[in-house]
Structures are given as structure tokens and as C-alpha cells.
Amino acid sequence: MSAPIRVAIVDDDPLVRAGLSMVLGGAPDVEIVAEAGDGAAALSVAPAADVVLMDIRMPIMDGLAATERLLAEEPAPHVIVLTTFDADEHVMRALAAGASGFLLKDTPPPQIVEAIRKVAAGEPILSPSVTGQLIRHVTAAGISTEARKAIEQLTDREREVALSVARGASNAEIAAQLFMSVATVKVHLGHVFTKLGVTNRVQVAIRMHDAGLV
């Protein structure tokens, strides 16, 4: 049996932390290893987790600043921003910092558990409203010359993989679509990350959208 996914809950509301602990406690493959009531406290406890559920508006240090600090270190946990606020600037700053997911607090509990599993496996997760925010951001920003130049570095195969990632496909789905092994997909994806200067799949999607390719 594989080790459980270690989760840290960061939220300034004790009732929210208790509710999430109750929800996640029912999942046999999830273990709560830490809790924190603000972003500053999260910096000392979150590195012990595989996945961090991070609120945005908190005292001392907000969740976006904490996410940026956490993901600037190695090794870094995966971060899912879980909030009641879905303003454009919050979404884009969290994703730009390297967050692997962005969910609203009204997301049904089973979907939160599934999001943790996907993010722990290296697949990003966004709520439908957040996906809409991303599309609106890209539409407003227009096609980025910088993104286009970055993507020109990719080989044809790497570009195919990047496009599939931008369309939300998992590694297994990409492997099936492009007739290659999952291991080969991971190798190509590693090259994509390096050439585009990104750290996760969501940032790949942003680059492809910014370049007007999706």
C-alpha cells in the first residue's frame, strides 16, 4: 500500500480548518500533517506536506505571499489555493507563483479530495470559474510575443505535448493521443518546463494561451 498523501491546511478560520479536517479525515489515502492560521505560520509547517490547502486572505502574511515563498524553495509542496475569492488578480498571481490548483470554498468535498489526489500526482486542477478567469485574462492580454518566442524553442513533439497539457489532458491521455509511453511524455514535459521557464502544467497552459495557440 502506498504512503498516504500528506496535507497541510492553512486558513485563519478555525471552523474552516475543522471542517476540512473532517472531510479529509474520511479519505483513507490522505493524512493531515499540519495546520496553520496564517501564511507566516504556514512557512514553517507546510514543507512537511505533499499538498497544501491555502487560503488567501489571512493576517500577518496572506496566502498568495506564502505560496510565492513556499514555492521558491526546494523541495516545495504542491499548493491548492482554496478561497471564497476568485478575483482575476488572485487567480493569476497564484498561478504565476506556481500553485497547482485553485478551488473555491463552495467546491463539493469529494471534489476537494479528488483535487488533492490529482495535484499530488502532478496534475493541476482548476474550478470551472477559475478556468473562465484564465481565458478572460488571456483574451484581454492578447497574444504575447514573448510567449511565442519561448514556444519556438520547442520541438514539434514537445509542442504537441504542451498543447495537450494546455487542453487539460493527463499524461496517460497524452500518451494515448500521441502514441507514446507515459515515461516518454514525462521526458518531453520536462523539456517543455525547462524551455518555457515554468515549473508546472498550469504555467505551461498559460504560456500556450498567451501565445494564442489554444
Side-chain angles (χ1 to χ4, degrees):
M1 182 177 179
S2 59
I5 303 167
R6 300 169 299 171
V7 175
I9 301 172
V10 183
D11 197 293
D12 64 335
D13 188 335
L15 291 179
V16 171
R17 295 200 304 270
L20 288 171
S21 294
M22 186 177 300
V23 167
L24 300 179
D29 56 343
V30 173
E31 177 187 2
I32 307 299
V33 295
E35 293 186 17
D38 63 75
L43 297 180
S44 61
V45 301
D50 300 310
V51 178
V52 179
L53 294 180
M54 181 77 76
D55 188 23
I56 287 183
R57 293 191 177 179
M58 295 182 291
I60 305 177
M61 179 185 290
D62 67 36
L64 295 177
T67 295
E68 290 170 346
R69 291 275 297 275
L70 277 174
L71 298 182
E73 303 294 331
E74 289 290 345
H78 298 288
V79 175
I80 297 176
V81 175
L82 185 63
T83 180
T84 54
F85 305 99
D86 64 346
D88 286 0
E89 64 271 18
H90 292 155
V91 173
M92 299 315 301
R93 184 176 166 192
L95 298 181
S100 297
F102 198 113
L103 296 176
L104 300 183
K105 285 185 177 177
D106 60 2
T107 301
Q111 290 183 24
I112 295 177
V113 175
E114 186 58 26
I116 289 171
R117 291 173 178 145
K118 286 186 175 181
V119 165
E123 297 181 24
I125 184 76
L126 299 175
S127 68
S129 66
V130 170
T131 301
Q133 300 266 3
L134 175 58
I135 292 171
R136 286 196 296 275
H137 162 78
V138 172
T139 300
I143 295 174
S144 165
T145 301
E146 180 186 351
R148 282 278 194 176
K149 287 182 177 178
I151 289 164
E152 286 175 359
Q153 302 176 69
L154 304 180
T155 65
D156 290 343
R157 209 55 164 162
E158 288 164 358
R159 184 176 299 199
E160 288 177 331
V161 170
L163 282 169
S164 295
V165 167
R167 292 173 179 135
S170 66
N171 286 350
E173 290 168 339
I174 296 171
Q177 292 166 5
L178 301 181
F179 304 102
M180 62 178 70
S181 69
V182 171
T184 301
V185 171
K186 290 180 178 178
V187 170
H188 285 309
L189 194 53
H191 294 161
V192 170
F193 283 4
T194 299
K195 292 180 179 180
L196 298 187
V198 301
T199 59
N200 64 42
R201 300 166 77 96
V202 174
Q203 292 172 325
V204 171
I206 291 173
R207 284 283 194 174
M208 301 305 284
H209 279 283
D210 281 349
L213 298 178
V214 180

